[in-house]
Amino acid sequence: LLHVPPPAPTRRGYPGIVALHGYTAHASEFAPYTGLSAVADAAGFVVASGGRSRSRSSLVRRRKLVNSA
């Protein structure tokens, strides 16, 4: 999930941050919770919030398989 502030007329680029969340969270839930989009708009920076690549249930199944071996 990428949040880019409204463009400023004289802006040629933006600083950015990467917001990380726990493995059970998702970027679409995490971004509104942090309020970083509003801060980014006011301060003029980009916020990138990563999503998880696998569902939580597949991670749990995989962990059980690894721990049972």
Side-chain angles (χ1 to χ4, degrees):
L1 191 63
L2 183 65
H3 176 83
V4 179
T10 59
R11 201 84 196 229
R12 297 191 85 201
Y14 292 95
I17 65 165
V18 177
L20 302 175
H21 56 76
Y23 91 99
T24 60
H26 195 275
S28 62
E29 302 161 343
F30 179 70
Y33 175 76
T34 64
L36 283 173
S37 295
V39 176
D41 287 346
F45 62 87
V46 174
V47 180
S49 301
R52 59 181 182 237
S53 60
R54 294 193 171 106
S55 70
R56 185 176 186 281
S57 60
S58 69
L59 289 171
V60 170
R61 280 195 307 271
R62 194 161 131 165
R63 181 179 288 161
K64 285 179 182 177
L65 289 173
V66 169
N67 291 338
S68 67

